[in-house]
Amino acid sequence: MQTKEITFKHVGQGIPRRDGDEKVRGLARYVDDLNIPDCWYGVAVRSPVAHGRLKTLRYDPAFDFDQVCVVTPEDIPGKNIVDMMGQDMPFLAHDLIRYRGEPLALVAAPTRQLAEQAAAHIQPDIDPLEPLYTLEEVIALHKTDRSKLDELSAQTIIKGSVDEGLAAADKVIEGEYWAGHQEQLYIEPQGMVAIPEKDGGVFLQGSLQCPYYIAPELIVTLGLPLEKIRVKQAAVGGAFGGKEEFPTLVAGYCALLAMKSGKPVKMVYDRCQDIRYSTKRHPAWMKYRVGLKNDGTITAIHVDFVLDGGAYTTLSPVVLYRGILHTTLGYNCEHVFVDGRVYRTHTFPDGAFRGFGAPQAIWGLESHMQECADALGMDAEVFRLKNYLRAGDKTGTGQVISAEMDPPAVMLETLKRSDFVNRRTLNTYGVPRDGKFFGVGVAFFGHGSGFTGDGEMRLQSKAALDLDWLPNGKPGVNIRISSTEMGQGTLTIMPQIAADGLKIPMACVDCPLPDTKYVPDSGPTVASRTAMVVGSTVYGAAEKMKALLEQYASDAFFGGHPCHLEDGVLTCSAVSQSQTFEDVARRLLEEKGMQRVVHQFKLPDTVVWDQKTFKGDSYPSYSWSANIVEVEIDALTLEIKLKKATSVWDIGRLMNPVLAKGQIEGGLTQALGYALMEKMGIRDGLFDADRMQTYVVPTSLDTPEFDIHFMEYPYPHAAPGAKGVGEIPMDGLAPAIANAIKAATGIRMNRIPITPESLWEAMPSTRKEIAS
Amino acid sequence: MSVSLRCVEASDLLLPGSLPEALAMMAEPEPPTPLAGGTDLMVQCEAGARKPPARLLSLKQLPELKGIDEADDTIRIGAGATHWQIRNHADVKVGLPGLVEAVSMVGGRQIQTMGTIGGSLANGSPAGDIAPYLLIADAVVEVASIEGTRQIPIRNFLIDYRKIDLKPNELIVAVTCKVLPEGAKEGWRKLGPRAAQAISKIMGNYRGKIVDGVIESFAVSLGSVAPTAIRLPEVEAFLVGKPLSEETIAEAERLASASVKPISDIRSTAEYRKWVAGRLVRGFLTSFTKGNEGSEGSEGCES
């Protein structure tokens, strides 16, 4: 399907968020707002140690446990396993405990207070074992004695012969880069309610990204068939990946309590619980060794890429895959070797977070590419443009950059808009001017759209459109997809796309929140795939629905002559008559009832991927961007201020430029926090910054002047031609800032977040001053 | 999203109509916990750092704690004055410009609207935004109980980490500051982990006067580097009578850095704080040579 000749009416327009009004007015109903009669409250009895063996649970005889419901492993109807990758996480720890706060039992009671009291009267006896907490400890062992580490996943990428490439180099540049935990810090904490159904099933409603992760994952634990586990999304106050795989845990806790007690059971985490006991971005360490010719040619890229996976496998292998695929992305090199590993530590399992391994990889890649340029004495943009992938070149996995992509275009445009070549003459290189250090830095990067490799083929995502009566009493079309609104605009862009596929007004299209009772599986709301993959599937369904309506109108109104639906009107030129969409749909509904069409996503047949060797087309397509930033550092205090961020984005065809820009401003702000502020340590096995007071994210006063510009290179194989926008804004700002800090101070900062404190430690001149 | 406030759910709220009535309640054998804006208390209870008090005594409605009054060379600020009221008060803007800047950096507008100067002092945090200014403005804290009133200089009022000179039956009634003398200049700087809505890593205030290039007077204070906000007497003593030269500034920076013993915590490190303590003093002194108006402070929110 070629998209170029299609014209769009709604797609590409800055239509306001459909759910904006109810959210601004406080009318949206989040899970804690739902009025559920006779609802009990659930809490977990959590392990006080991070690593150990559970001997027994002691119940305080003074407490009346008859007034509450307690679930222990013996009460689990199915297997005591969270059905995720690795199959290594129990719902309730019964023997080995692998993180502090791991649930040992669950309690529900008519009030939260009583549930908390009951939980406090259940005491575990544990034989403690030695815990391993930090990536620093992991890397020390990775370098010396890997047998002491528990490897959760490993994967390599091999292209050519990296030894040959390094041997051919004039120079080999090495560097190590570190990134810490990052918390999603969505506004609404995790929450779920489970309601027992009369047929023995369970109805789950909550704050979640992926209804079709929860339902199939709970089959194993609850011992129920899929059709008896119904999952519905409540309004979601932000997610950023934090509500991708994690809600299965809360859903399981609530469902187990609801099934045993026979009561609806709700759990809503407070902020402190949410930070302590939910997923974070994986801490990462990378070591780059890059072979260079004196003329700037890259002869070899060797990368060690290690993630701290936390206590259990969960999604870590997939995060690792996306991570290693981005460690060399964008650069043309014959000889590549990437060695990726995930090791277990005794902290809460790390999980999905906007970017999913790519922000860590690009932090290392773009920092190191600048080191390479500096080592050669080449200008940042000259070195990058010399080596960047162009149409016809091959990535590290051998994927050919197709003709409709032009990765360097965004770089050239960003250079122009930021006036980089002139602005960099102001770089201070360690000698402050008027009390300030100043530097301008660049990062240039891509992000794979959709699932890794042939994942989109295996997912077989479906979208349905129902011609039905809408809540306003008029006939219209309901979009039935499992993609969720979590702030990114799904509920707005899908009606834009469907209206364009059907050629009817947007007012005739509705997109209710997903409920597995009504929606097919369109795959999870992750991987920057919603606009590209699900949007295209909705578009395909809309074309089918348009054909259905045209066929019906032809038979019912135009004596069998063909007709054409355009702008909400079906016109038959043979008889020179027309009917409105509303009149045709009304008669069809009255005559035959609700009409459903289903469409399934397909990748082009040319996509080839080998999951074992990691060779082939690692993503259906790529979005591209360059970020150029100006940073000012106060020489008096070493406070770092991001002054300006110029960025150009190829995210394919724009579905909604206003929402896309919002995604990018928000993502860049989140990336600014990752780069300069968001610091999470481990204290006694728990995350130390466990409140909004201590976990510092940027406010609007910390944001720079943003110059955001789009260049549209639509994805040709999935109309309307979006690529991904959700994650790529998270990818490149940290290295751009670090590169600007180097231009300002002459110092390479290789660990994020970069703070005045870490800069102070790295600047020998400041140390000298304090010593004097 | 609904919110459960453990503090409010668990506590009885007393609403005295006047200061004498409030003091009488405070004189009971187990006095209630005074509640001003609640911006610290409620957070502490919610975070589990403090047990919700059985009884809270609301100060918000007490007329005696309101009001900001200027006398000859002082301004008396009722303990119940909110940061927002102080920030927007015409006399305070002229007489205590550094205080306006300090309160402008307390939290955001919501916190400034609720939080009070008395509550900030009573919380006794070494990272409080107000105490360092009160130190350079030679403030006197007025506390009251049914036994009478005490006037306590701020440097004596701040005893130790979260320890202030306030008996269980006393309430803070007012704070009286000396206004900026003619020809003097004051300024302020707060370093936080972000531009606003942040608890300080370090903060400082100064008030000084330079006549013909010679330092006639100089008071300087720092917060978040010791168990309480502190003045730097060694630095002050060194500076008075000295010419404002680079040599003087460098020595003051060294002295300031050497005279503090900060700790490492979740917001910053001891080493950085020690270094930057000197840097703040350098910045304060440099602001005289630059002759710029007001403080070195970065922009407050909603200014």
mmCIF file with all atom_site columns, all heavy atoms in Angstrom, chain A residues 198-214:
data_model
loop_
_atom_site.group_PDB
_atom_site.id
_atom_site.type_symbol
_atom_site.label_atom_id
_atom_site.label_alt_id
_atom_site.label_comp_id
_atom_site.label_asym_id
_atom_site.label_entity_id
_atom_site.label_seq_id
_atom_site.pdbx_PDB_ins_code
_atom_site.Cartn_x
_atom_site.Cartn_y
_atom_site.Cartn_z
_atom_site.occupancy
_atom_site.B_iso_or_equiv
_atom_site.pdbx_formal_charge
_atom_site.auth_seq_id
_atom_site.auth_comp_id
_atom_site.auth_asym_id
_atom_site.auth_atom_id
_atom_site.pdbx_PDB_model_num
ATOM 1   N N   . LYS A 1 198 ? -20.268 -13.500 38.551 1.00 0.00 ? 198 LYS A N   1
ATOM 2   C CA  . LYS A 1 198 ? -21.154 -14.603 38.941 1.00 0.00 ? 198 LYS A CA  1
ATOM 3   C C   . LYS A 1 198 ? -20.728 -15.950 38.348 1.00 0.00 ? 198 LYS A C   1
ATOM 4   O O   . LYS A 1 198 ? -20.910 -16.994 38.934 1.00 0.00 ? 198 LYS A O   1
ATOM 5   C CB  . LYS A 1 198 ? -22.590 -14.291 38.501 1.00 0.00 ? 198 LYS A CB  1
ATOM 6   C CG  . LYS A 1 198 ? -23.243 -13.210 39.352 1.00 0.00 ? 198 LYS A CG  1
ATOM 7   C CD  . LYS A 1 198 ? -24.759 -13.176 39.139 1.00 0.00 ? 198 LYS A CD  1
ATOM 8   C CE  . LYS A 1 198 ? -25.382 -11.997 39.856 1.00 0.00 ? 198 LYS A CE  1
ATOM 9   N NZ  . LYS A 1 198 ? -25.196 -10.726 39.099 1.00 0.00 ? 198 LYS A NZ  1
ATOM 10  N N   . ASP A 1 199 ? -20.123 -15.886 37.140 1.00 0.00 ? 199 ASP A N   1
ATOM 11  C CA  . ASP A 1 199 ? -19.745 -17.132 36.467 1.00 0.00 ? 199 ASP A CA  1
ATOM 12  C C   . ASP A 1 199 ? -18.403 -17.681 36.955 1.00 0.00 ? 199 ASP A C   1
ATOM 13  O O   . ASP A 1 199 ? -17.841 -18.587 36.339 1.00 0.00 ? 199 ASP A O   1
ATOM 14  C CB  . ASP A 1 199 ? -19.696 -16.913 34.949 1.00 0.00 ? 199 ASP A CB  1
ATOM 15  C CG  . ASP A 1 199 ? -18.614 -15.922 34.549 1.00 0.00 ? 199 ASP A CG  1
ATOM 16  O OD1 . ASP A 1 199 ? -17.943 -15.359 35.456 1.00 0.00 ? 199 ASP A OD1 1
ATOM 17  O OD2 . ASP A 1 199 ? -18.427 -15.703 33.342 1.00 0.00 ? 199 ASP A OD2 1
ATOM 18  N N   . GLY A 1 200 ? -17.894 -17.115 38.054 1.00 0.00 ? 200 GLY A N   1
ATOM 19  C CA  . GLY A 1 200 ? -16.604 -17.589 38.558 1.00 0.00 ? 200 GLY A CA  1
ATOM 20  C C   . GLY A 1 200 ? -15.424 -16.848 37.987 1.00 0.00 ? 200 GLY A C   1
ATOM 21  O O   . GLY A 1 200 ? -14.284 -17.077 38.387 1.00 0.00 ? 200 GLY A O   1
ATOM 22  N N   . GLY A 1 201 ? -15.700 -15.973 37.060 1.00 0.00 ? 201 GLY A N   1
ATOM 23  C CA  . GLY A 1 201 ? -14.628 -15.176 36.457 1.00 0.00 ? 201 GLY A CA  1
ATOM 24  C C   . GLY A 1 201 ? -14.329 -13.935 37.279 1.00 0.00 ? 201 GLY A C   1
ATOM 25  O O   . GLY A 1 201 ? -14.855 -13.753 38.387 1.00 0.00 ? 201 GLY A O   1
ATOM 26  N N   . VAL A 1 202 ? -13.464 -13.085 36.729 1.00 0.00 ? 202 VAL A N   1
ATOM 27  C CA  . VAL A 1 202 ? -13.095 -11.876 37.438 1.00 0.00 ? 202 VAL A CA  1
ATOM 28  C C   . VAL A 1 202 ? -13.000 -10.720 36.449 1.00 0.00 ? 202 VAL A C   1
ATOM 29  O O   . VAL A 1 202 ? -12.548 -10.893 35.307 1.00 0.00 ? 202 VAL A O   1
ATOM 30  C CB  . VAL A 1 202 ? -11.781 -12.081 38.237 1.00 0.00 ? 202 VAL A CB  1
ATOM 31  C CG1 . VAL A 1 202 ? -10.623 -12.408 37.321 1.00 0.00 ? 202 VAL A CG1 1
ATOM 32  C CG2 . VAL A 1 202 ? -11.455 -10.891 39.117 1.00 0.00 ? 202 VAL A CG2 1
ATOM 33  N N   . PHE A 1 203 ? -13.518 -9.567  36.898 1.00 0.00 ? 203 PHE A N   1
ATOM 34  C CA  . PHE A 1 203 ? -13.510 -8.357  36.081 1.00 0.00 ? 203 PHE A CA  1
ATOM 35  C C   . PHE A 1 203 ? -12.515 -7.386  36.703 1.00 0.00 ? 203 PHE A C   1
ATOM 36  O O   . PHE A 1 203 ? -12.637 -7.025  37.877 1.00 0.00 ? 203 PHE A O   1
ATOM 37  C CB  . PHE A 1 203 ? -14.920 -7.760  36.048 1.00 0.00 ? 203 PHE A CB  1
ATOM 38  C CG  . PHE A 1 203 ? -15.018 -6.410  35.374 1.00 0.00 ? 203 PHE A CG  1
ATOM 39  C CD1 . PHE A 1 203 ? -14.329 -6.150  34.195 1.00 0.00 ? 203 PHE A CD1 1
ATOM 40  C CD2 . PHE A 1 203 ? -15.818 -5.412  35.911 1.00 0.00 ? 203 PHE A CD2 1
ATOM 41  C CE1 . PHE A 1 203 ? -14.427 -4.913  33.573 1.00 0.00 ? 203 PHE A CE1 1
ATOM 42  C CE2 . PHE A 1 203 ? -15.920 -4.167  35.293 1.00 0.00 ? 203 PHE A CE2 1
ATOM 43  C CZ  . PHE A 1 203 ? -15.225 -3.919  34.123 1.00 0.00 ? 203 PHE A CZ  1
ATOM 44  N N   . LEU A 1 204 ? -11.521 -6.997  35.906 1.00 0.00 ? 204 LEU A N   1
ATOM 45  C CA  . LEU A 1 204 ? -10.474 -6.105  36.407 1.00 0.00 ? 204 LEU A CA  1
ATOM 46  C C   . LEU A 1 204 ? -10.572 -4.759  35.724 1.00 0.00 ? 204 LEU A C   1
ATOM 47  O O   . LEU A 1 204 ? -10.721 -4.681  34.497 1.00 0.00 ? 204 LEU A O   1
ATOM 48  C CB  . LEU A 1 204 ? -9.098  -6.715  36.115 1.00 0.00 ? 204 LEU A CB  1
ATOM 49  C CG  . LEU A 1 204 ? -8.777  -7.967  36.928 1.00 0.00 ? 204 LEU A CG  1
ATOM 50  C CD1 . LEU A 1 204 ? -7.909  -8.910  36.125 1.00 0.00 ? 204 LEU A CD1 1
ATOM 51  C CD2 . LEU A 1 204 ? -8.113  -7.581  38.240 1.00 0.00 ? 204 LEU A CD2 1
ATOM 52  N N   . GLN A 1 205 ? -10.501 -3.722  36.522 1.00 0.00 ? 205 GLN A N   1
ATOM 53  C CA  . GLN A 1 205 ? -10.506 -2.386  35.937 1.00 0.00 ? 205 GLN A CA  1
ATOM 54  C C   . GLN A 1 205 ? -9.425  -1.583  36.631 1.00 0.00 ? 205 GLN A C   1
ATOM 55  O O   . GLN A 1 205 ? -9.278  -1.636  37.855 1.00 0.00 ? 205 GLN A O   1
ATOM 56  C CB  . GLN A 1 205 ? -11.877 -1.726  36.123 1.00 0.00 ? 205 GLN A CB  1
ATOM 57  C CG  . GLN A 1 205 ? -12.041 -0.500  35.245 1.00 0.00 ? 205 GLN A CG  1
ATOM 58  C CD  . GLN A 1 205 ? -13.456 0.047   35.237 1.00 0.00 ? 205 GLN A CD  1
ATOM 59  O OE1 . GLN A 1 205 ? -14.327 -0.447  35.942 1.00 0.00 ? 205 GLN A OE1 1
ATOM 60  N NE2 . GLN A 1 205 ? -13.667 1.084   34.450 1.00 0.00 ? 205 GLN A NE2 1
ATOM 61  N N   . GLY A 1 206 ? -8.660  -0.819  35.839 1.00 0.00 ? 206 GLY A N   1
ATOM 62  C CA  . GLY A 1 206 ? -7.595  -0.073  36.497 1.00 0.00 ? 206 GLY A CA  1
ATOM 63  C C   . GLY A 1 206 ? -6.766  0.775   35.574 1.00 0.00 ? 206 GLY A C   1
ATOM 64  O O   . GLY A 1 206 ? -7.111  1.023   34.421 1.00 0.00 ? 206 GLY A O   1
ATOM 65  N N   . SER A 1 207 ? -5.653  1.205   36.144 1.00 0.00 ? 207 SER A N   1
ATOM 66  C CA  . SER A 1 207 ? -4.734  2.103   35.476 1.00 0.00 ? 207 SER A CA  1
ATOM 67  C C   . SER A 1 207 ? -3.706  1.244   34.745 1.00 0.00 ? 207 SER A C   1
ATOM 68  O O   . SER A 1 207 ? -2.810  0.694   35.380 1.00 0.00 ? 207 SER A O   1
ATOM 69  C CB  . SER A 1 207 ? -4.063  2.976   36.540 1.00 0.00 ? 207 SER A CB  1
ATOM 70  O OG  . SER A 1 207 ? -3.378  4.038   35.938 1.00 0.00 ? 207 SER A OG  1
ATOM 71  N N   . LEU A 1 208 ? -3.856  1.134   33.452 1.00 0.00 ? 208 LEU A N   1
ATOM 72  C CA  . LEU A 1 208 ? -3.051  0.152   32.724 1.00 0.00 ? 208 LEU A CA  1
ATOM 73  C C   . LEU A 1 208 ? -2.859  0.560   31.269 1.00 0.00 ? 208 LEU A C   1
ATOM 74  O O   . LEU A 1 208 ? -3.661  1.292   30.709 1.00 0.00 ? 208 LEU A O   1
ATOM 75  C CB  . LEU A 1 208 ? -3.708  -1.224  32.819 1.00 0.00 ? 208 LEU A CB  1
ATOM 76  C CG  . LEU A 1 208 ? -5.171  -1.310  32.360 1.00 0.00 ? 208 LEU A CG  1
ATOM 77  C CD1 . LEU A 1 208 ? -5.280  -1.770  30.917 1.00 0.00 ? 208 LEU A CD1 1
ATOM 78  C CD2 . LEU A 1 208 ? -5.950  -2.260  33.249 1.00 0.00 ? 208 LEU A CD2 1
ATOM 79  N N   . GLN A 1 209 ? -1.793  0.015   30.675 1.00 0.00 ? 209 GLN A N   1
ATOM 80  C CA  . GLN A 1 209 ? -1.477  0.283   29.275 1.00 0.00 ? 209 GLN A CA  1
ATOM 81  C C   . GLN A 1 209 ? -1.900  -0.842  28.341 1.00 0.00 ? 209 GLN A C   1
ATOM 82  O O   . GLN A 1 209 ? -2.132  -0.606  27.170 1.00 0.00 ? 209 GLN A O   1
ATOM 83  C CB  . GLN A 1 209 ? 0.051   0.429   29.111 1.00 0.00 ? 209 GLN A CB  1
ATOM 84  C CG  . GLN A 1 209 ? 0.616   1.794   29.408 1.00 0.00 ? 209 GLN A CG  1
ATOM 85  C CD  . GLN A 1 209 ? 2.134   1.830   29.299 1.00 0.00 ? 209 GLN A CD  1
ATOM 86  O OE1 . GLN A 1 209 ? 2.807   1.973   30.289 1.00 0.00 ? 209 GLN A OE1 1
ATOM 87  N NE2 . GLN A 1 209 ? 2.666   1.688   28.099 1.00 0.00 ? 209 GLN A NE2 1
ATOM 88  N N   . CYS A 1 210 ? -1.912  -2.081  28.851 1.00 0.00 ? 210 CYS A N   1
ATOM 89  C CA  . CYS A 1 210 ? -2.003  -3.231  27.952 1.00 0.00 ? 210 CYS A CA  1
ATOM 90  C C   . CYS A 1 210 ? -3.003  -4.258  28.470 1.00 0.00 ? 210 CYS A C   1
ATOM 91  O O   . CYS A 1 210 ? -2.616  -5.224  29.138 1.00 0.00 ? 210 CYS A O   1
ATOM 92  C CB  . CYS A 1 210 ? -0.635  -3.899  27.809 1.00 0.00 ? 210 CYS A CB  1
ATOM 93  S SG  . CYS A 1 210 ? 0.687   -2.743  27.417 1.00 0.00 ? 210 CYS A SG  1
ATOM 94  N N   . PRO A 1 211 ? -4.306  -4.090  28.155 1.00 0.00 ? 211 PRO A N   1
ATOM 95  C CA  . PRO A 1 211 ? -5.303  -5.027  28.674 1.00 0.00 ? 211 PRO A CA  1
ATOM 96  C C   . PRO A 1 211 ? -5.002  -6.469  28.288 1.00 0.00 ? 211 PRO A C   1
ATOM 97  O O   . PRO A 1 211 ? -5.245  -7.383  29.072 1.00 0.00 ? 211 PRO A O   1
ATOM 98  C CB  . PRO A 1 211 ? -6.614  -4.554  28.037 1.00 0.00 ? 211 PRO A CB  1
ATOM 99  C CG  . PRO A 1 211 ? -6.327  -3.322  27.275 1.00 0.00 ? 211 PRO A CG  1
ATOM 100 C CD  . PRO A 1 211 ? -4.883  -2.996  27.368 1.00 0.00 ? 211 PRO A CD  1
ATOM 101 N N   . TYR A 1 212 ? -4.444  -6.677  27.084 1.00 0.00 ? 212 TYR A N   1
ATOM 102 C CA  . TYR A 1 212 ? -4.167  -8.043  26.641 1.00 0.00 ? 212 TYR A CA  1
ATOM 103 C C   . TYR A 1 212 ? -2.805  -8.557  27.094 1.00 0.00 ? 212 TYR A C   1
ATOM 104 O O   . TYR A 1 212 ? -2.342  -9.590  26.626 1.00 0.00 ? 212 TYR A O   1
ATOM 105 C CB  . TYR A 1 212 ? -4.334  -8.168  25.126 1.00 0.00 ? 212 TYR A CB  1
ATOM 106 C CG  . TYR A 1 212 ? -5.788  -8.353  24.739 1.00 0.00 ? 212 TYR A CG  1
ATOM 107 C CD1 . TYR A 1 212 ? -6.522  -7.307  24.195 1.00 0.00 ? 212 TYR A CD1 1
ATOM 108 C CD2 . TYR A 1 212 ? -6.431  -9.568  24.948 1.00 0.00 ? 212 TYR A CD2 1
ATOM 109 C CE1 . TYR A 1 212 ? -7.857  -7.469  23.849 1.00 0.00 ? 212 TYR A CE1 1
ATOM 110 C CE2 . TYR A 1 212 ? -7.764  -9.745  24.602 1.00 0.00 ? 212 TYR A CE2 1
ATOM 111 C CZ  . TYR A 1 212 ? -8.476  -8.691  24.062 1.00 0.00 ? 212 TYR A CZ  1
ATOM 112 O OH  . TYR A 1 212 ? -9.804  -8.868  23.731 1.00 0.00 ? 212 TYR A OH  1
ATOM 113 N N   . TYR A 1 213 ? -2.122  -7.856  27.957 1.00 0.00 ? 213 TYR A N   1
ATOM 114 C CA  . TYR A 1 213 ? -1.036  -8.479  28.709 1.00 0.00 ? 213 TYR A CA  1
ATOM 115 C C   . TYR A 1 213 ? -1.627  -9.120  29.964 1.00 0.00 ? 213 TYR A C   1
ATOM 116 O O   . TYR A 1 213 ? -1.326  -10.252 30.299 1.00 0.00 ? 213 TYR A O   1
ATOM 117 C CB  . TYR A 1 213 ? 0.004   -7.448  29.153 1.00 0.00 ? 213 TYR A CB  1
ATOM 118 C CG  . TYR A 1 213 ? 1.111   -7.161  28.162 1.00 0.00 ? 213 TYR A CG  1
ATOM 119 C CD1 . TYR A 1 213 ? 1.166   -7.798  26.924 1.00 0.00 ? 213 TYR A CD1 1
ATOM 120 C CD2 . TYR A 1 213 ? 2.110   -6.248  28.473 1.00 0.00 ? 213 TYR A CD2 1
ATOM 121 C CE1 . TYR A 1 213 ? 2.187   -7.517  26.024 1.00 0.00 ? 213 TYR A CE1 1
ATOM 122 C CE2 . TYR A 1 213 ? 3.133   -5.965  27.577 1.00 0.00 ? 213 TYR A CE2 1
ATOM 123 C CZ  . TYR A 1 213 ? 3.166   -6.603  26.349 1.00 0.00 ? 213 TYR A CZ  1
ATOM 124 O OH  . TYR A 1 213 ? 4.169   -6.319  25.485 1.00 0.00 ? 213 TYR A OH  1
ATOM 125 N N   . ILE A 1 214 ? -2.484  -8.356  30.638 1.00 0.00 ? 214 ILE A N   1
ATOM 126 C CA  . ILE A 1 214 ? -2.980  -8.793  31.944 1.00 0.00 ? 214 ILE A CA  1
ATOM 127 C C   . ILE A 1 214 ? -3.804  -10.068 31.822 1.00 0.00 ? 214 ILE A C   1
ATOM 128 O O   . ILE A 1 214 ? -3.552  -11.058 32.526 1.00 0.00 ? 214 ILE A O   1
ATOM 129 C CB  . ILE A 1 214 ? -3.816  -7.669  32.594 1.00 0.00 ? 214 ILE A CB  1
ATOM 130 C CG1 . ILE A 1 214 ? -2.909  -6.468  32.890 1.00 0.00 ? 214 ILE A CG1 1
ATOM 131 C CG2 . ILE A 1 214 ? -4.493  -8.166  33.867 1.00 0.00 ? 214 ILE A CG2 1
ATOM 132 C CD1 . ILE A 1 214 ? -3.648  -5.263  33.411 1.00 0.00 ? 214 ILE A CD1 1
#
